[in-house]
Amino acid sequence: MRLRRRGLASINSEIRDGIMPAADTIARVAKDPDALPHTPSNYRVTALIIACALFMEQMDSTVLATALPTMARDFGVPATSMSSALTSYLLALAIFIPASGRLADRFGSRTIFRAAILIFVGGSMLCGQATSLPFMMFARFLQGLGGAMMIPIGRLVLLRSVAKEDMVQAMSWLIMPALIGPILGPPVGGAIVTYLDWRWIFYLNVPIGLLGVVLVTRYIGEVREDKPARFDVPGFILSGVSLGCLLFGFEMTSRTGELARAVVLIAVGLVAGVAYIHHAKHRSDPILDLSLMRIPTFRLSVIGGSLTRITQGAQPFLLPMMLQLGFGMTAAASGAITIAGAIGSLMMKSLAPRVLRRFGFRNSLIVGGLCASSGYAVAGLFRPDWPIPVIFAVLMISGFFMSFQFSAYNTIAYDEIPSSRMSSATSFYATFQQLMLSLGICVGAASLHVGVLGTGATQPALANFTLAFLVVTAVSASATIWNRRFAVDAGAELSGHRAR
């Protein structure tokens, strides 16, 4: 069996930045209960087990953003330096996501999924014990290693173990906990930081993760490829060195006295990147298939989506810090406000298909992108005397349009991808998603740092946050140039739109 292309694209659009490596293998759905002895006949059980892992990962990332100013005080570092804690996690995702599908094919999906949860829990425990920023960066990187395998393989387990006729319902059970995590994260994180201790943010993952290991062992079947593809070790090393050096090089440019080291890291990253490009051209199965960029809709989605994700990556870093340092809010109060974007994202899910059917991908991406960028630019103009309902509404509208952009990009990207290349396409796309989110944090931190240096202050002022927001929103607004290059009828089969 083969999942229809439209069905796969719809699944990708359901979760804002969904990651599904090895998607070309989802056709092998077992109907014989003996083929997957641990797979329950009730697909809801499988979906909810995986959804709990996704909920834990989403909750962790949104909770942490609210706690950054408090953590900075405990570590004795400037608040802007805490961008490293976010970057380390996203960097691990970008490096290891391409390898996740092949590891599952070789060692079995249940084995790798269970190991990923344990690694994530171990990283969480180390985060709770961190006493310095470098230690926190290491622990977050370990967490990211678990997350890079946990979420993609979890979705892959679902696709491989659920009968085709139950797939839509199963994905619905998976999606809802994933959407609830970002809504609960900011207020829960704010309450923990305000009334308890930020370390409990990470300790909460321990019981959830251990329960997940038990459930995975009991209910998830072991599925692996009979003849897995060879693992591209040289490509994995070169791409990892390139991504790691470039991201940390860009991140270090925002720190005082680190410019020389940053330049060295960026140079090493560029050399490793050129070496990987040469390597990929001479290998039939590279870990990141650059030839996919020759496909028009995929190329435009990667470029436009990358520019948009830079803004989305910076926003969770800049907004809580502005509300706490600039407005003097508690972590609990700022968390209650920053859930607005997640609520807007949730509202978008039911409307996106109808909007795309009415206006098509090209027009929707152009208008939606400009609206999302404008909303986040307005966020940079927030001041303490603004009414809270107005701030909440602006953030909710911005979250609505930004989430719409990602749903549209995630769908149109696979319009022209043949089933034989779906695995490579999903790994490539997911890697760039995480890479650009990381770069967004770097751009936001660097812009904020430059503004602080210009004033000679030790803490960023509201004007510095305004500058940072305007810089990152200018980046996402530039995606309009690429959105205009989509064909008028691009993705018509997916959206049902017919140009008039």
Tab-separated table of all heavy atoms in Angstrom, residues 95-120:
chain	number	residue	atom	x	y	z
A	95	ILE	N	21.107	18.477	14.163
A	95	ILE	CA	22.188	17.546	13.843
A	95	ILE	C	21.691	16.108	13.764
A	95	ILE	O	22.053	15.355	12.850
A	95	ILE	CB	23.317	17.663	14.885
A	95	ILE	CG1	24.011	19.024	14.762
A	95	ILE	CG2	24.338	16.542	14.705
A	95	ILE	CD1	25.048	19.273	15.834
A	96	PHE	N	20.820	15.716	14.693
A	96	PHE	CA	20.499	14.292	14.844
A	96	PHE	C	19.189	13.865	14.200
A	96	PHE	O	18.958	12.666	14.030
A	96	PHE	CB	20.489	13.906	16.326
A	96	PHE	CG	21.843	13.964	16.962
A	96	PHE	CD1	22.187	15.013	17.801
A	96	PHE	CD2	22.788	12.993	16.697
A	96	PHE	CE1	23.448	15.079	18.387
A	96	PHE	CE2	24.049	13.052	17.276
A	96	PHE	CZ	24.382	14.091	18.120
A	97	ILE	N	18.319	14.810	13.839
A	97	ILE	CA	17.075	14.413	13.181
A	97	ILE	C	17.327	13.621	11.895
A	97	ILE	O	16.656	12.617	11.644
A	97	ILE	CB	16.183	15.644	12.909
A	97	ILE	CG1	15.437	16.031	14.183
A	97	ILE	CG2	15.178	15.362	11.804
A	97	ILE	CD1	14.659	17.318	14.065
A	98	PRO	N	18.291	14.019	11.039
A	98	PRO	CA	18.503	13.236	9.820
A	98	PRO	C	18.855	11.780	10.082
A	98	PRO	O	18.584	10.915	9.242
A	98	PRO	CB	19.677	13.969	9.141
A	98	PRO	CG	19.620	15.356	9.668
A	98	PRO	CD	19.151	15.212	11.082
A	99	ALA	N	19.468	11.494	11.232
A	99	ALA	CA	19.884	10.121	11.532
A	99	ALA	C	18.777	9.291	12.157
A	99	ALA	O	18.888	8.055	12.213
A	99	ALA	CB	21.097	10.149	12.463
A	100	SER	N	17.705	9.920	12.634
A	100	SER	CA	16.718	9.206	13.438
A	100	SER	C	16.014	8.104	12.652
A	100	SER	O	15.851	6.984	13.152
A	100	SER	CB	15.693	10.196	14.006
A	100	SER	OG	15.032	10.884	12.960
A	101	GLY	N	15.580	8.406	11.437
A	101	GLY	CA	14.875	7.403	10.644
A	101	GLY	C	15.727	6.192	10.335
A	101	GLY	O	15.262	5.047	10.404
A	102	ARG	N	16.993	6.414	10.007
A	102	ARG	CA	17.865	5.296	9.659
A	102	ARG	C	18.207	4.456	10.884
A	102	ARG	O	18.379	3.242	10.787
A	102	ARG	CB	19.134	5.817	8.990
A	102	ARG	CG	18.833	6.532	7.675
A	102	ARG	CD	20.065	6.798	6.849
A	102	ARG	NE	19.732	7.565	5.656
A	102	ARG	CZ	20.590	7.850	4.692
A	102	ARG	NH1	21.842	7.422	4.779
A	102	ARG	NH2	20.213	8.555	3.640
A	103	LEU	N	18.319	5.097	12.043
A	103	LEU	CA	18.545	4.329	13.268
A	103	LEU	C	17.346	3.436	13.576
A	103	LEU	O	17.509	2.280	13.995
A	103	LEU	CB	18.810	5.275	14.444
A	103	LEU	CG	20.149	6.013	14.430
A	103	LEU	CD1	20.190	7.034	15.560
A	103	LEU	CD2	21.308	5.039	14.558
A	104	ALA	N	16.135	3.959	13.371
A	104	ALA	CA	14.937	3.158	13.606
A	104	ALA	C	14.858	1.996	12.628
A	104	ALA	O	14.454	0.886	12.993
A	104	ALA	CB	13.691	4.034	13.485
A	105	ASP	N	15.225	2.234	11.376
A	105	ASP	CA	15.212	1.165	10.382
A	105	ASP	C	16.189	0.050	10.749
A	105	ASP	O	15.920	-1.124	10.511
A	105	ASP	CB	15.573	1.722	9.010
A	105	ASP	CG	14.471	2.593	8.423
A	105	ASP	OD1	13.330	2.505	8.922
A	105	ASP	OD2	14.751	3.362	7.494
A	106	ARG	N	17.316	0.413	11.321
A	106	ARG	CA	18.355	-0.583	11.590
A	106	ARG	C	18.125	-1.306	12.922
A	106	ARG	O	18.260	-2.534	13.020
A	106	ARG	CB	19.731	0.088	11.592
A	106	ARG	CG	20.894	-0.874	11.869
A	106	ARG	CD	22.218	-0.177	11.660
A	106	ARG	NE	22.401	0.211	10.279
A	106	ARG	CZ	22.887	-0.613	9.325
A	106	ARG	NH1	23.197	-1.863	9.633
A	106	ARG	NH2	23.029	-0.189	8.093
A	107	PHE	N	17.797	-0.563	13.981
A	107	PHE	CA	17.732	-1.157	15.323
A	107	PHE	C	16.310	-1.404	15.824
A	107	PHE	O	16.127	-2.025	16.868
A	107	PHE	CB	18.470	-0.269	16.330
A	107	PHE	CG	19.926	-0.102	16.021
A	107	PHE	CD1	20.409	1.081	15.481
A	107	PHE	CD2	20.816	-1.136	16.261
A	107	PHE	CE1	21.754	1.238	15.193
A	107	PHE	CE2	22.165	-0.992	15.966
A	107	PHE	CZ	22.640	0.200	15.435
A	108	GLY	N	15.330	-0.901	15.111
A	108	GLY	CA	13.949	-1.104	15.521
A	108	GLY	C	13.340	0.142	16.127
A	108	GLY	O	13.985	0.838	16.920
A	109	SER	N	12.112	0.432	15.763
A	109	SER	CA	11.465	1.675	16.192
A	109	SER	C	11.215	1.700	17.692
A	109	SER	O	11.393	2.731	18.346
A	109	SER	CB	10.150	1.859	15.438
A	109	SER	OG	9.343	0.704	15.549
A	110	ARG	N	10.800	0.562	18.270
A	110	ARG	CA	10.540	0.555	19.719
A	110	ARG	C	11.822	0.765	20.506
A	110	ARG	O	11.851	1.523	21.483
A	110	ARG	CB	9.889	-0.766	20.131
A	110	ARG	CG	9.556	-0.817	21.625
A	110	ARG	CD	8.864	-2.106	21.997
A	110	ARG	NE	9.715	-3.259	21.770
A	110	ARG	CZ	9.295	-4.519	21.819
A	110	ARG	NH1	8.014	-4.761	22.052
A	110	ARG	NH2	10.119	-5.517	21.614
A	111	THR	N	12.900	0.109	20.089
A	111	THR	CA	14.179	0.236	20.793
A	111	THR	C	14.678	1.673	20.797
A	111	THR	O	15.071	2.218	21.837
A	111	THR	CB	15.225	-0.686	20.152
A	111	THR	OG1	14.786	-2.042	20.271
A	111	THR	CG2	16.580	-0.528	20.824
A	112	ILE	N	14.659	2.312	19.637
A	112	ILE	CA	15.169	3.684	19.527
A	112	ILE	C	14.229	4.668	20.213
A	112	ILE	O	14.674	5.622	20.878
A	112	ILE	CB	15.372	4.063	18.048
A	112	ILE	CG1	16.396	3.129	17.396
A	112	ILE	CG2	15.852	5.502	17.927
A	112	ILE	CD1	17.765	3.164	18.046
A	113	PHE	N	12.912	4.451	20.098
A	113	PHE	CA	11.958	5.347	20.742
A	113	PHE	C	12.121	5.307	22.259
A	113	PHE	O	12.142	6.339	22.936
A	113	PHE	CB	10.538	4.934	20.338
A	113	PHE	CG	9.473	5.895	20.776
A	113	PHE	CD1	9.652	7.266	20.659
A	113	PHE	CD2	8.276	5.440	21.291
A	113	PHE	CE1	8.665	8.158	21.047
A	113	PHE	CE2	7.276	6.317	21.682
A	113	PHE	CZ	7.481	7.679	21.559
A	114	ARG	N	12.270	4.110	22.796
A	114	ARG	CA	12.457	3.956	24.239
A	114	ARG	C	13.777	4.577	24.692
A	114	ARG	O	13.840	5.269	25.715
A	114	ARG	CB	12.416	2.468	24.585
A	114	ARG	CG	12.451	2.141	26.066
A	114	ARG	CD	12.104	0.671	26.269
A	114	ARG	NE	12.889	-0.181	25.382
A	114	ARG	CZ	12.591	-1.456	25.111
A	114	ARG	NH1	11.528	-1.997	25.644
A	114	ARG	NH2	13.360	-2.170	24.315
A	115	ALA	N	14.845	4.346	23.924
A	115	ALA	CA	16.144	4.941	24.252
A	115	ALA	C	16.075	6.466	24.196
A	115	ALA	O	16.688	7.164	25.019
A	115	ALA	CB	17.221	4.414	23.308
A	116	ALA	N	15.334	6.995	23.224
A	116	ALA	CA	15.215	8.450	23.088
A	116	ALA	C	14.546	9.063	24.311
A	116	ALA	O	14.965	10.115	24.808
A	116	ALA	CB	14.427	8.787	21.823
A	117	ILE	N	13.484	8.423	24.817
A	117	ILE	CA	12.804	8.928	26.015
A	117	ILE	C	13.766	8.933	27.204
A	117	ILE	O	13.822	9.897	27.978
A	117	ILE	CB	11.560	8.083	26.324
A	117	ILE	CG1	10.523	8.232	25.211
A	117	ILE	CG2	10.948	8.505	27.663
A	117	ILE	CD1	9.299	7.348	25.389
A	118	LEU	N	14.539	7.854	27.365
A	118	LEU	CA	15.478	7.777	28.484
A	118	LEU	C	16.561	8.848	28.373
A	118	LEU	O	16.955	9.453	29.380
A	118	LEU	CB	16.117	6.383	28.525
A	118	LEU	CG	15.184	5.244	28.974
A	118	LEU	CD1	15.874	3.899	28.807
A	118	LEU	CD2	14.732	5.452	30.418
A	119	ILE	N	17.049	9.104	27.163
A	119	ILE	CA	18.057	10.156	26.977
A	119	ILE	C	17.461	11.517	27.311
A	119	ILE	O	18.097	12.351	27.974
A	119	ILE	CB	18.601	10.129	25.534
A	119	ILE	CG1	19.402	8.851	25.302
A	119	ILE	CG2	19.477	11.358	25.266
A	119	ILE	CD1	19.826	8.663	23.855
A	120	PHE	N	16.228	11.751	26.878
A	120	PHE	CA	15.567	13.023	27.164
A	120	PHE	C	15.384	13.206	28.677
A	120	PHE	O	15.637	14.296	29.214
A	120	PHE	CB	14.210	13.071	26.460
A	120	PHE	CG	13.524	14.400	26.541
A	120	PHE	CD1	13.771	15.385	25.595
A	120	PHE	CD2	12.625	14.684	27.558
A	120	PHE	CE1	13.136	16.623	25.669
A	120	PHE	CE2	11.987	15.907	27.646
A	120	PHE	CZ	12.250	16.880	26.695
